[in-house]
Amino acid sequence: MNLSAFDLNLLRVLDALLREGSTVKAGARIGLSQPAVSAALGRLRSGLGDELFFRNGQGLEPTDYARSLELPLREIFSDIEEILESPKPFIPDTAQQNFKISGSDYFAEMLMPRLADRVSRQAPGVRVQLVDLVADINVDSVERNEVDLALAPSLPLPGWAVKQTMFRSKYSVIARSGNLRFVHAGLKPGDVVPIDLFCDLGHVLFSPEGKLSAAGDVALSRVSRERGVVMTMPVFSGVYGAVSESDLIALLPHQLARQVAGKFGLNIYVPPMAVDLVEIIMIWHRRSTASPGHRWLRNMIADILQPLDDG
């Protein structure tokens, strides 16, 4: 049979006729009038080359050929219903699934330890991977299906992408405890760094691409000042590691600064200029929005990260 020339909708009529044995009842079952069912039966007879049903008293009796189709049709429609029904629920304690997240090492410090605790307790069969990709290519990675979601500073997105704001972060100045210039200036942790001192000291800048300017430089330009960036690092851990071993300073998201200050012997100060808050968003492909497992992970990540908000 040439399926391209056969109307598969007629199989719904055939299934209803086999179940009901009446054109009237079959029509009521699938929402068609009796004349429409009779017309469809005529097309079925022509297309399948068999009488299919004959009148027997008040009802219709199937031919042997029609009867042979009854069980296969029932199974086919049952399979189709199962395929088209809502996605199966995600059951964490029995799930076996792998998720890949794109984000900087900020999230290795501020997200992954807490996520590891929750996932290990709730979904021991789930694997979560954090991959460090440059922010500009995060979205491309989501489109290519290489990662399930990306965490990055807010950026323009294509139409297929969905975003959710996680938090907004202010910046703090970090310097090693005992930094001689800070000691001589009589600064205590939490003080505002004088702008002349801020601009005179060497800075370490987080930049995966090796750029020599960032949000702090935009803020300084508004007050007609510049700073001296003497080192860039592709990871945040490199930034605060370098500051902890030198008299260089850095601007760091203040949540991260508070997290690492004690472990690395750092003091935290207030910048001398107003630096715009950076908005961190979670990005995923629209195709994954309704996926129960994906939604479970997104909700867990949002629950961990959104309390960091400075807005």
Side-chain angles (χ1 to χ4, degrees), residues 225-239:
R225 299 297 297 264
E226 295 180 353
R227 63 174 173 171
V229 174
V230 299
M231 183 177 293
T232 69
M233 290 285 186
V235 290
F236 282 108
S237 58
V239 173

Side-chain angles (χ1 to χ4, degrees), residues 90-99 123-127:
F90 179 80
I91 303 174
D93 59 354
T94 59
Q96 298 287 326
Q97 199 162 344
N98 184 72
F99 295 104
V126 166
R127 176 188 297 137

Side-chain angles (χ1 to χ4, degrees), residues 108-177:
E109 184 69 41
M110 301 302 296
L111 168 67
M112 297 305 284
R114 297 171 179 82
L115 190 61
D117 175 59
R118 296 192 187 191
V119 170
S120 63
R121 287 188 288 107
Q122 296 182 27
V126 166
R127 176 188 297 137
V128 182
Q129 297 172 267
L130 178 68
V131 293
D132 192 356
L133 299 176
V134 176
D136 291 345
I137 66 172
N138 275 344
V139 176
D140 293 337
S141 299
V142 175
E143 166 66 3
R144 292 193 302 268
N145 225 16
E146 294 174 3
V147 298
D148 295 283
L149 55 87
L151 295 163
S154 185
L155 72 167
L157 297 174
W160 54 259
V162 184
K163 75 170 185 176
Q164 180 181 358
T165 297
M166 291 291 97
F167 60 93
R168 287 155 295 178
S169 177
K170 62 184 180 182
Y171 286 91
S172 293
V173 178
I174 57 169
R176 71 176 177 91
S177 179

Side-chain angles (χ1 to χ4, degrees), residues 166-170 255 277-280 308-311:
M166 291 291 97
F167 60 93
R168 287 155 295 178
S169 177
K170 62 184 180 182
Q255 304 97 331
L277 295 177
V278 59
E279 181 183 57
I280 301 299
L308 300 177
D309 188 52
D310 286 325

Side-chain angles (χ1 to χ4, degrees), residues 6 14 31 66 69 88 112 137 147 197 208 215 227 254 259 265 299 302:
F6 184 80
L14 178 55
L69 298 177
K88 293 181 179 179
M112 297 305 284
I137 66 172
V147 298
L197 177 60
R227 63 174 173 171
H254 95 279
Q259 180 79 5
N299 289 341

Side-chain angles (χ1 to χ4, degrees), residues 34-212:
Q34 188 276 335
V37 173
S38 295
L41 178 56
R43 294 172 62 195
L44 279 163
R45 285 167 169 161
S46 175
L48 298 177
D50 189 86
E51 186 181 6
L52 297 176
F53 296 92
F54 58 89
R55 179 68 57 184
N56 185 3
Q58 296 299 311
L60 296 176
E61 186 170 335
T63 64
D64 289 345
Y65 176 61
R67 197 180 299 278
S68 74
L69 298 177
E70 184 172 8
L71 184 57
L73 279 176
R74 202 161 291 182
E75 291 177 346
I76 287 169
F77 282 114
S78 177
D79 289 343
I80 290 173
E81 288 176 1
E82 184 176 348
I83 290 170
L84 297 180
E85 70 182 7
S86 299
K88 293 181 179 179
F90 179 80
I91 303 174
D93 59 354
T94 59
Q96 298 287 326
Q97 199 162 344
N98 184 72
F99 295 104
K100 190 176 288 186
I101 304 168
S102 172
S104 72
D105 69 322
Y106 175 100
F107 300 101
E109 184 69 41
M110 301 302 296
L111 168 67
M112 297 305 284
R114 297 171 179 82
L115 190 61
D117 175 59
R118 296 192 187 191
V119 170
S120 63
R121 287 188 288 107
Q122 296 182 27
V126 166
R127 176 188 297 137
V128 182
Q129 297 172 267
L130 178 68
V131 293
D132 192 356
L133 299 176
V134 176
D136 291 345
I137 66 172
N138 275 344
V139 176
D140 293 337
S141 299
V142 175
E143 166 66 3
R144 292 193 302 268
N145 225 16
E146 294 174 3
V147 298
D148 295 283
L149 55 87
L151 295 163
S154 185
L155 72 167
L157 297 174
W160 54 259
V162 184
K163 75 170 185 176
Q164 180 181 358
T165 297
M166 291 291 97
F167 60 93
R168 287 155 295 178
S169 177
K170 62 184 180 182
Y171 286 91
S172 293
V173 178
I174 57 169
R176 71 176 177 91
S177 179
N179 182 302
L180 294 179
R181 296 289 300 276
F182 278 64
V183 171
H184 293 156
L187 292 175
K188 302 184 297 296
D191 286 349
V192 176
V193 180
I195 195 164
D196 289 339
L197 177 60
F198 182 86
C199 293
D200 190 46
L201 285 166
H203 286 248
V204 185
L205 175 66
F206 167 73
S207 175
E209 311 95 327
K211 295 178 181 178
L212 292 172

